[in-house]
Amino acid sequence: MVSVAIDGPAGAGKSTLARRLAAEMGYIYVDTGAMYRAIGLYALRAGKDPKDNAAVDALLPQIELRLASIAGEQHIYLKDEDVSAAIRTEAAGMAASAVGANPAVRAFLLDLQRSMAKKQDVLMDGRDIGTVVLPDADVKIFLYADVEVRAKRRELELQQRGTPKPYAEVLREMEERDYNDTHRAAAPLRAADDAIMVDTSSMDFNASLELLLDVIRGSVSN
């Protein structure tokens, strides 16, 4: 089995690129960020503060989380509800950052993520794939871009989704998310020592895709 780990901050293009890369390579795409977003969403719906570890810990036994592939797209479910769209709000993203700092949540998801990599060729993206989830991954990539560039991309994404926000607000939230992700006690965002660093600040989607395909194919063949 071949495993590819892609890490990086919010807005670096991980999920969009990883989904396409997996399709091109014929691997299973695992969006770990969606799992954390689903737990964050569950906490919000339960009226709990996602930063309150004890409150979130008490919810974990109730959570039934599963992934499914429909027409080549990964969908995530809470029990029988497809929450693939509901988890893509900014509120769910901030909640994901909060529950991602919770050791019990990380342990809850770790076994599921690792078992996927043992059964099939996977391309997994997140914040700590190469450092914690799959430290022995065949290929490790750390994808990043300047925070202003990432905020601009997110602003455009929100506009296209019909939920626009002012750039200044998106930038502030992006900077807050970066700080939370890099300063949390449990598995903070950082590049693995043997990760290949890729800066997409000045690259569009197609250029980033071609570069990453070359990196992965070259690494796997070696």
Side-chain angles (χ1 to χ4, degrees):
M1 299 296 108
V2 176
S3 56
V4 178
I6 300 182
D7 292 305
K14 296 187 306 299
S15 295
T16 307
L17 284 164
R19 188 178 294 110
R20 180 69 177 275
L21 287 164
E24 293 281 346
M25 301 291 295
Y27 293 178
I28 300 298
Y29 168 55
V30 181
D31 178 0
T32 62
M35 297 178 178
Y36 286 100
R37 282 174 174 264
I39 292 178
L41 176 66
Y42 193 94
L44 291 174
R45 287 180 170 181
K48 305 300 182 183
D49 181 354
K51 295 180 181 178
D52 184 340
N53 285 1
V56 174
D57 292 354
L59 296 175
L60 292 178
Q62 311 167 19
I63 297 177
E64 295 180 28
L65 184 68
R66 65 183 177 89
L67 300 175
S69 180
I70 301 176
E73 288 290 322
Q74 179 183 277
H75 287 245
I76 189 158
Y77 291 80
L78 281 171
K79 221 165 189 180
D80 296 323
E81 180 190 359
D82 185 343
V83 294
S84 305
I87 62 171
R88 294 303 169 186
T89 64
E90 287 300 300
M94 295 303 290
S97 184
V99 300
N102 183 332
V105 172
R106 306 199 73 81
F108 178 77
L109 293 177
L110 189 60
D111 286 344
L112 174 61
Q113 293 161 356
R114 284 179 173 169
S115 68
M116 290 177 177
K118 290 178 181 177
K119 297 173 183 174
Q120 59 226 326
D121 295 333
V122 299
L123 195 153
M124 197 175 293
D125 77 271
R127 299 289 191 278
D128 63 346
I129 309 306
T131 54
V132 177
V133 180
L134 301 177
D136 297 321
D138 298 284
V139 186
K140 300 177 189 176
I141 295 169
F142 192 86
L143 195 66
Y144 66 101
D146 295 336
V147 67
E148 292 84 2
V149 173
R150 291 186 282 120
K152 198 67 184 173
R153 290 173 181 169
R154 182 58 57 83
E155 180 194 24
L156 179 60
E157 178 187 340
L158 291 172
Q159 287 175 355
Q160 294 172 338
R161 210 182 274 165
T163 56
K165 276 189 180 182
Y167 171 77
E169 184 178 351
V170 176
L171 177 61
R172 178 184 57 76
E173 290 177 345
M174 189 75 70
E175 290 173 335
E176 180 183 350
R177 183 86 182 270
D178 284 355
Y179 182 87
N180 291 341
D181 287 345
T182 55
H183 287 77
R184 67 193 183 199
L189 170 66
R190 67 175 181 83
D193 293 338
D194 54 348
I196 299 166
M197 307 296 289
V198 178
D199 183 354
T200 67
S201 299
S202 60
M203 289 189 284
D204 63 14
F205 177 82
N206 289 329
S208 300
L209 178 65
E210 288 305 315
L211 174 60
L212 291 172
L213 280 171
D214 288 344
V215 167
I216 294 171
R217 286 169 174 157
S219 298
V220 170
S221 65
N222 290 334

